[in-house]
């Protein structure tokens, strides 16, 4: 039996060849080192984070999330539900709070679920993987498996919106959350604690409808990282990672800048520090190559 076991909700972006597939690769590697077992919720469905607010009503969103919760309760009883995607976690957490706080919404949701032979009881908490690392392990425990220090690399910890508000990570400031900085320091890297864009929105929701506004946000995020001496940005959010990495070349083309800042996941840093290879850390899945990390991962 593994040290810790969880009902895992992977979300759409972590699927094979999806935008955050390398995130999932590194999470699996990290969890193997920490002796964590993530069991995928059988037959899970989309959390509706990308489409729920566009045209679907509240009840539809609640039902789709409650179906995931109920499947976890049924097949993986007693296990906390864990998500790696910030959007999935936020949407699921919001849905759970609404269901747990309204007898009418709960009744309406269970009426819909009845058609699939399901009934939501609300027993399992919904947590982000970062919460699991901090609360169930702690920084001292996370430091023990480090075999390759990331000393000498400066990281800008970019938290973004979705793991920060309205719920946030327990015990953290909304204005200046420090958990990414602490995770960076845990694996030997230098966290740029004065980085002033750590909770700025990346503009992901505006990427297609108002690209100028979105790209203004991204330029500010990346240029501030450069100004503070960062070599890489690290984030817990797949949308932030993709948005900030992918559009740097577009901003360069339009505005004549020379942005070329790697954007990493905390789990990739941890996997490399734990002795993982380039492939095991998903470092081969980036548009902007994290060369310093690749060099460390390649060392015997």
């Amino acid at each position: 039996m593994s040290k810790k076991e969880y009902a895992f909700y992977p979300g759409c972006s972590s699927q094979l060849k999806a935008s955050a597939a390398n995130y999932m690769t590194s999470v699996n590697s990290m969890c193997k080192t920490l002796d964590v077992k993530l069991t995928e919720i059988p037959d899970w469905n989309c959390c509706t984070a990308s489409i729920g607010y566009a045209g679907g009503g509240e009840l539809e969103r609640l039902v789709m999330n409650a179906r995931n919760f109920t499947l976890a309760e049924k097949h993986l009883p007693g296990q906390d539900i864990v998500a790696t995607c910030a959007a999935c976690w936020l949407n699921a957490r919001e849905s759970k709070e609404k269901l747990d706080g309204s007898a009418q919404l709960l009744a309406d949701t269970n009426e819909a679920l009845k058609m699939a032979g399901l009934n939501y009881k609300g027993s399992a908490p919904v947590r982000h993987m970062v919460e699991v690392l901090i609360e169930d392990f702690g920084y001292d425990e996370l430091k023990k498996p480090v075999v390759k220090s990331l000393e000498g690399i400066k990281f800008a910890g970019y938290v973004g919106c979705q793991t920060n508000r309205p719920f946030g990570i327990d015990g953290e400031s909304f204005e200046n959350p420090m958990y990414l900085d602490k995770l960076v320091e845990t694996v030997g890297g230098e966290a740029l604690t004065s980085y002033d864009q750590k909770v700025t929105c990346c503009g992901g929701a505006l990427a297609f409808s108002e690209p100028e506004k979105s790209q203004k946000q991204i330029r500010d995020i990346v240029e501030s990282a450069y100004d503070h001496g960062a070599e890489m940005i690290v984030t817990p959010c797949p949308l932030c990672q993709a948005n900030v990495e992918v559009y740097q070349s577009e901003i360069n083309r339009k505005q004549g800048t020379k942005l070329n800042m790697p954007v990493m996941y905390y789990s990739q840093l941890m996997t490399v520090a734990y002795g993982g290879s380039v492939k095991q850390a998903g470092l081969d899945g980036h548009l902007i190559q994290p060369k310093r990390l690749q060099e460390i991962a390649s060392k015997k």
Side-chain angles (χ1 to χ4, degrees):
M1 176 179 286
S2 296
K3 185 187 299 182
K4 299 183 186 296
E5 299 185 11
Y6 303 92
F8 181 50
Y9 179 74
C12 304
S13 64
S14 293
Q15 300 308 289
L16 184 64
K17 297 185 179 181
S19 60
N22 58 337
Y23 184 18
M24 193 68 256
T25 297
S26 63
V27 166
N28 285 334
S29 299
M30 175 188 72
C31 285
K32 185 177 181 180
T33 298
L34 295 172
D35 196 19
V36 170
K37 182 179 180 181
L38 299 177
T39 304
E40 194 169 305
I41 298 170
D43 196 33
W44 60 269
N45 54 256
C46 174
C47 74
T48 78
S50 298
I51 61 172
Y53 298 98
E58 180 181 48
L59 182 59
E60 287 84 350
R61 291 194 299 113
L62 295 178
V63 169
M64 289 186 72
N65 279 285
R67 180 180 180 275
N68 289 326
F69 304 155
T70 307
L71 289 171
E73 292 170 351
K74 179 180 178 180
H75 296 287
L76 301 163
Q79 296 186 18
D80 293 358
I81 299 170
V82 174
T84 46
C85 173
C88 293
W89 171 75
L90 176 61
N91 203 44
R93 177 86 179 267
E94 178 191 24
S95 295
K96 179 172 171 54
E97 293 219 350
K98 287 186 175 182
L99 289 169
D100 293 351
S102 170
Q104 186 60 57
L105 284 175
L106 179 61
D108 292 343
T109 295
N110 273 326
E111 183 64 28
L113 289 174
K114 190 188 299 182
M115 298 177 64
L118 298 173
N119 185 73
Y120 172 63
K121 297 182 178 66
S123 59
V126 178
R127 306 172 68 193
H128 191 283
M129 176 57 72
V130 165
E131 293 179 287
V132 168
L133 295 177
I134 296 168
E135 296 168 4
D136 295 3
F137 287 88
Y139 300 107
D140 290 341
E141 194 69 21
L142 294 174
K143 189 174 183 177
K144 290 179 180 178
V146 172
V147 294
K148 292 182 178 179
S149 173
L150 305 189
E151 184 177 0
I153 305 180
K154 297 180 180 181
F155 295 93
Y158 178 56
V159 175
C161 306
Q162 293 177 322
T163 58
N164 191 50
R165 293 182 185 273
F167 303 115
I169 303 300
D170 191 37
E172 293 281 355
S173 160
F174 289 120
E175 287 73 28
N176 187 28
M178 298 298 294
Y179 66 89
L180 274 183
D181 298 327
K182 292 175 182 176
L183 286 174
V184 165
E185 291 168 350
T186 295
V187 295
E190 181 179 342
L192 302 173
T193 56
S194 61
Y195 177 56
D196 57 0
Q197 294 290 315
K198 66 166 59 176
V199 296
T200 301
C201 175
C202 73
L206 302 174
F208 299 111
S209 60
E210 299 185 70
E212 294 81 8
K213 291 182 179 179
S214 175
Q215 290 172 25
K216 168 65 167 60
Q217 297 284 83
I218 294 167
R219 180 171 176 173
D220 288 347
I221 290 162
V222 175
E223 287 188 337
S224 178
Y226 276 119
D227 290 344
H228 284 80
E231 296 174 65
M232 301 180 200
I233 291 172
V234 59
T235 185
C237 175
L239 179 58
C240 292
Q241 192 284 327
N243 209 39
V244 176
E245 181 184 60
V246 167
Y247 286 103
Q248 288 185 51
S249 61
E250 180 73 1
I251 294 168
N252 290 340
R253 185 183 67 80
K254 288 181 177 178
Q255 302 179 30
T257 52
K258 296 181 179 180
L259 306 179
N260 194 45
M261 175 73 68
V263 186
M264 316 305 300
Y265 295 109
Y266 62 91
S267 51
Q268 294 180 297
L269 273 59
M270 295 176 72
T271 296
V272 171
Y274 290 167
S277 66
V278 168
K279 188 171 183 178
Q280 288 168 331
L283 300 181
D284 53 354
H286 287 275
L287 294 178
I288 301 176
Q289 297 298 309
K291 294 180 181 178
R292 288 287 301 280
L293 279 183
Q294 290 171 339
E295 290 170 3
I296 294 173
S298 297
K299 290 179 180 178
K300 300 295 185 182

